[in-house]
Amino acid sequence: MASDNSCHACHRSALQGGITHRSHGLGADPQGQQTTIGCTACHGPSDQHAVNPRLKPDRIFASKAEASVEDDQACLSCHKGGAVDHWLFSEHQQAGVGCHGCHSIHKQTDPVQQRTEQFQVCTGCHQREAADQMKFSHHPMAEGHVQCTDCHAPHGGAMSNLVAASINDTCYLCHVEKRGPFLFEHEPVQDDCSHCHLPHGSVNDSLLKTRQPLLCQQCHIASRHPGTLYDSGRLNGRDINIIGQSCTNCHSQVHGGNQPESSTFRR
């Protein structure tokens, strides 16, 4: 079997790139939690390659653009359980995106695991989400305050590759004040945050899918108020239902509340 030293004699760029500072190149764990992981642990014994470099190693990983699930077997032989429990059912696996399509093993740090660099790695494929960051209202991912894995489970999750069991439970990890329970609950809020909000970016305030009052009137077309479409034709009359904050001029507690006024989601 080829030794790591024989590999480093030629592949100095991997050595200088920082792999010896990572768990894949540090050697055995003194506490016995990890055996020695070297070049041959991933690339195979590669005896013939060590004798004649013109011959390929036993296992060659495709380029990042061509990373495939077949290459993952080397990774999954060690990385079992925990975060990769749902890997076989993940969207990345189903799309044929392999481990090293996102991860960089030979570098001192893995960009996809760094809070300030993860967004650039993910948006290498997810271009629509990158464009959403240019919109007026957006989760501050490009700024590094929120990272993709705060919400998404890239190795697969319980629901749609999210870190929690549902969309709402995922949102509540940060927006705890919207969780409730409330004495007066707004049914769409408890059902699904995405009924009203877009997760990555929007041209409207507060990541809303469309502007008020049109957003509200998708459901509330004939309740309490006259079933009149509050459009630009009412601007001349300075109708409170369309200027300012529109519906939330009065109904500011749209996510629910515990006060008597909350029965109509007012202050």
Side-chain angles (χ1 to χ4, degrees):
M1 178 183 292
S3 67
D4 288 353
N5 290 333
S6 63
C7 298
H8 295 160
C10 295
H11 300 280
R12 295 183 179 181
S13 59
L15 182 63
Q16 296 170 350
I19 191 172
T20 54
H21 297 276
R22 300 277 300 280
S23 58
H24 291 90
L26 283 175
D29 183 354
Q31 297 182 357
Q33 299 296 317
Q34 173 180 295
T35 59
T36 300
I37 300 177
C39 305
T40 56
C42 299
H43 294 283
S46 304
D47 295 325
Q48 294 182 353
H49 175 69
V51 175
N52 184 358
R54 294 185 178 182
L55 298 176
K56 295 181 179 180
D58 293 347
R59 181 184 292 116
I60 296 179
F61 293 90
S63 65
K64 280 185 174 292
E66 300 173 344
S68 66
V69 295
E70 287 76 14
D71 296 330
D72 297 343
Q73 298 309 312
C75 304
L76 296 175
S77 63
C78 293
H79 296 276
K80 301 175 182 178
V84 296
D85 270 344
H86 301 283
W87 172 248
L88 292 178
F89 308 99
S90 68
E91 291 188 14
H92 280 136
Q93 198 275 348
Q94 297 297 322
V97 178
C99 302
H100 70 287
C102 302
H103 293 282
S104 298
I105 303 302
H106 294 141
K107 294 183 178 180
Q108 185 170 347
T109 59
D110 189 357
V112 78
Q113 294 181 309
Q114 303 301 310
R115 193 169 192 89
T116 57
E117 300 178 67
Q118 185 183 96
F119 178 74
Q120 284 71 29
V121 177
C122 297
T123 52
C125 293
H126 300 280
Q127 295 291 315
R128 181 178 299 177
E129 285 70 24
D132 282 340
Q133 289 297 291
M134 304 301 293
K135 294 180 179 178
F136 167 73
S137 176
H138 61 268
H139 271 123
M141 292 181 288
E143 294 84 350
H145 300 304
V146 177
Q147 61 180 359
C148 305
T149 51
D150 287 339
C151 302
H152 297 282
H155 303 111
M159 175 184 175
S160 298
N161 292 327
L162 296 176
V163 296
S166 68
I167 292 176
N168 280 24
D169 287 339
T170 302
C171 298
Y172 294 153
L173 293 175
C174 293
H175 304 281
V176 293
E177 75 283 0
K178 305 296 191 298
R179 178 187 294 274
F182 298 112
L183 182 61
F184 300 99
E185 294 185 340
H186 196 183
E187 289 84 355
V189 174
Q190 300 302 316
D191 182 31
D192 190 336
C193 300
S194 64
H195 285 328
C196 298
H197 296 282
L198 293 170
H200 298 105
S202 172
V203 296
N204 304 304
D205 288 334
S206 303
L207 291 170
L208 292 177
K209 298 178 76 171
T210 188
R211 292 179 181 273
Q212 300 180 60
L214 299 180
L215 175 67
C216 303
Q217 285 198 303
Q218 291 178 2
C219 296
H220 301 280
I221 190 62
S223 59
R224 296 183 179 272
H225 295 291
T228 303
L229 182 63
Y230 297 131
D231 58 13
S232 59
R234 302 171 68 90
L235 283 174
N236 291 335
R238 298 185 61 80
D239 192 324
I240 193 175
N241 294 307
I242 195 171
I243 64 173
Q245 295 298 316
S246 188
C247 302
T248 51
N249 283 326
C250 300
H251 306 283
S252 60
Q253 306 303 309
V254 292
H255 295 97
N258 297 314
Q259 304 301 319
E261 293 81 2
S262 299
S263 61
T264 53
F265 308 113
R266 292 177 295 163
R267 294 183 180 88

